[in-house]
Amino acid sequence: MENEKIIEGVLQEFAGLTKHPRKSGHEKEVSDYIASRLRQLGASVVQDEVNNIIADVPATKGYEDVPLTIIQGHMDMVCVAKPGRAYDTLKDPITIKRDGRILSADGTSLGADDGMAIAISLFLIQQDFAHGPLRLIFTVDEEVGMTGATHLDSKYVQDAHYVINCDSESLEVICVASAGSVHTYFSRPVSWQKAAGTAALKITASGFIGGHSGETINQGKSNAIKALALVLQRLHQAGISYTLASYDGGDAANAIPSQAQAVIVLSDADADKACQLTAEGEAAHKAVYGTVETTLSLKAEKTDVPEKTVSEADSRAVVQLLNLLHFGVFAMNQHLPKLPDLSSNIGTIHIGDDTVDIQYFPRSSSDARLQELLLSLPVFAEVTGFTFKASEPAPAWSENTSSVLTPAMTAVYEKELGRTPRIEAMHGGLETGYFFAMNPDLDIVSVGPTTFAIHSADESVDLETVADITRVIAGTLTALKK
């Protein structure tokens, strides 16, 4: 298969997808389209109760005895638009534009994540190449709630041997493992009182890098919420009495917060000393993180005294818990030394009318290690007067050290592309964790074309890498015959 022919064929299938809005949680229309298209191509199709698509494609002659391979991706996309761009995410199609080898959209996210998995799969099953029995599984709601993966009937993975997930973002990498995770929540009722102090300070942590709490957690970054809590602890240890009028920071559990701010009420006599201690805290924080966090700032400035604050006990409990909770990497993987084995992120904090709420998000490449951490977190809640709640953990996908698929794909990659791929594990989550939990004997890889700025209106994909990964997948499917 020549690259230009592949690109044109895949683009034709991708263009069909772009006509059907596919925001997470609203996939019925695109699911119907995919099911119809697969039936046109001769596949046997099941559309389940949540609109997942499961389609079986028979083996080519002579390959009937090759074990079943699942090719998998998700049909939903993150729908965002540039400022001023009118975009109804439930009705409007995606307008694509091509500039040489780069495909993007007109002012919106493109949906190559993960529409390219579907387009490549639809293209492949029309080509004349040798392969064993195939099952295409396209799930819903991967970007938000993993509804498709969690509701998929396990029978669709029990009879499979190989899984090629197509949701990775770099042609250069064959991913062989991903992390599990669990959303946890700390909450405490707060008692409001009339502000007792005569001065107020707004303390701001800003200029932090932020970023993905899995993929970048081992890059030496700091956390704005945690940094601010360290300043507040510094004030407490210096004997300064204060109460919190507010404490807010972060945007999402799985994003390292780049900013946080708190307003404290204290005595006039302590205000200048608190500003000095904040400056000292900034200097100390830069001494630890400054080579990475080159623009971090911790500043205290005087502000109007608010009418009310939470109690001194509530204020102390918040600062205690934030200082107890670890941010960053706990331990590195012993087999894959660049991979964090356990990490956690303090994602958000907000003091509301009735409660203070904190989202804490641990990840691990080991389900057992994640469960071990979950045993200790309620203790932190208990000693600080918080309640603790955890969601159902998302399972990890552990590397298969006896993989047949990984070396087979590596050999095809080297033959087709003339270079060696990187074999890596990721500290983020993939749907493969759910497949692995349903059938731990699966031999799994995750691959994909090189995409840029996913989940944004600047999203794009390199079409040459689309063609390259298509050739690698096709060659691998042929090579799986023993």
Side-chain angles (χ1 to χ4, degrees), residues 202-221:
K202 181 179 182 180
I203 305 177
T204 304
S206 61
F208 289 69
I209 297 172
H212 193 283
S213 71
E215 295 172 13
T216 70
I217 199 73
N218 62 338
Q219 294 179 4
K221 297 178 180 180

Side-chain angles (χ1 to χ4, degrees), residues 199 201 203 231-232 234-242 264 266-281 300-302:
L201 294 176
I203 305 177
V231 168
L232 294 173
R234 186 178 289 266
L235 269 56
H236 172 76
Q237 288 187 343
I240 294 177
S241 177
Y242 63 85
I264 64 171
L266 67 172
S267 70
D268 256 331
D270 285 333
D272 288 339
K273 184 178 180 182
C275 289
Q276 178 187 341
L277 288 169
T278 302
E280 292 176 5
E301 57 182 353
K302 293 182 179 180

Side-chain angles (χ1 to χ4, degrees), residues 255-267:
I256 300 171
S258 60
Q259 53 75 36
Q261 53 280 321
V263 173
I264 64 171
V265 173
L266 67 172
S267 70

